[in-house]
Amino acid sequence: MRVAVVGLGLIGGSFALALKDKNIASSVVGVEANANHAQLAVKLGLVDSVLPLNEAVEGADLIALAVPVDAIPQLAIKILNRVTANQVVIDMGSTKEELCEMISRHPMRARFVATHPMWGTEFSGPEAATVDSFAGRNVVICEKALSAADAVERVEDIYCKLGMSVLEMEAEQHD
């Protein structure tokens, strides 16, 4: 599986590192606005390479959004405008209601799985990424019924392989 991780800080960097460590992804491509973070993520082995957003999305089976929560809704729409019926998009943000409302009428809504891995630290940036951050933690999937069954299955399988327990909630209940 080819994965694109958008945002290579603590959460995105740790996700990329864990995917590689567990042999879940055959390749992990990063997308990072901060040039220093992009170089550091490659140097630390978090990702195989860093590409512009459109190129990363085009070649990915899974696209993970690990950017600040206020940027996720618009980014999700931009990416959903480009994905095919075989691709899956997830977010890793801590709020869901606004995001889910904004993408609710998108023609590719079913390819999106709203997730919230429940962990974090006070540290940030690629150097804060750790390989075992997801193990033993919970992940919440919101609005599961609005996502395609194959997309949800793929995402749940990934999180389970990372050692997470999967919980289900509606966006309003989550927030």
Side-chain angles (χ1 to χ4, degrees), residues 5-84:
V5 178
V6 183
L8 299 174
L10 172 68
I11 304 294
S14 295
F15 187 64
L17 195 58
L19 291 173
K20 291 176 75 172
D21 181 67
K22 299 287 186 189
N23 294 314
I24 296 169
S26 57
S27 68
V28 181
V29 173
V31 177
E32 177 56 59
N34 181 314
N36 292 332
H37 284 184
Q39 289 177 343
L40 189 54
V42 173
K43 181 180 176 184
L44 294 172
L46 306 182
V47 294
D48 301 312
S49 62
V50 176
L51 294 174
L53 180 66
N54 291 343
E55 288 179 48
V57 168
E58 185 178 312
D61 299 304
L62 175 75
I63 301 103
L65 310 182
V67 298
V69 292
D70 60 339
I72 292 175
Q74 290 295 336
L75 182 59
I77 290 169
K78 184 176 184 175
I79 291 171
L80 286 172
N81 287 340
R82 303 187 65 80
V83 298
T84 68

Side-chain angles (χ1 to χ4, degrees), residues 151-170:
V152 172
E153 183 179 325
R154 187 182 309 174
V155 171
E156 287 180 340
D157 181 60
I158 290 167
Y159 280 126
C160 288
K161 286 178 179 173
L162 295 180
M164 300 191 87
S165 298
V166 179
L167 308 173
E168 201 177 321
M169 288 183 193
E170 291 305 310

Side-chain angles (χ1 to χ4, degrees), residues 137-155:
R137 311 282 183 156
N138 293 325
V139 60
V140 176
I141 294 181
C142 292
E143 297 192 353
K144 184 175 174 177
L146 298 178
S147 300
D150 71 297
V152 172
E153 183 179 325
R154 187 182 309 174
V155 171

